[in-house]
Amino acid sequence: VADVPELKDSFQVSTEGQILYPILGDVLVGNLTASEVETLLARVLKEKFLKDPRVKVVISKPDVKTS
């Protein structure tokens, strides 16, 4: 979330399709696009905490280490 340092971070999606997001707790994001996650987080943050949240989601692949 822009302008809120406590809400800027990287989150790993669990095997259950959830992220643990500050102030919201577990949020189900499995099978959603980045745009859909942005909309979901912005809606929930606006309903409960922020006047005009600006959410940006970038989906990246995890670093895979081979031995």
Side-chain angles (χ1 to χ4, degrees):
V1 175
D3 303 326
V4 185
E6 297 82 11
L7 300 179
K8 289 182 180 182
D9 207 341
S10 296
F11 305 95
Q12 185 172 347
V13 178
S14 71
T15 56
E16 293 82 23
Q18 298 178 332
I19 59 170
L20 181 58
Y21 195 82
I23 73 174
L24 297 180
D26 288 325
V27 179
L28 186 60
V29 297
N31 297 320
L32 297 179
T33 65
S35 178
E36 291 169 330
V37 174
E38 288 175 354
T39 300
L40 172 66
L41 292 175
R43 179 178 50 82
V44 175
L45 288 167
K46 185 173 184 175
E47 288 172 358
K48 298 182 178 190
F49 302 103
L50 301 172
K51 183 177 180 180
D52 186 26
R54 291 178 287 150
V55 178
K56 178 67 177 170
V57 173
V58 177
I59 297 175
S60 61
K61 294 181 181 180
D63 292 333
V64 178
K65 297 181 180 180
T66 58
S67 49

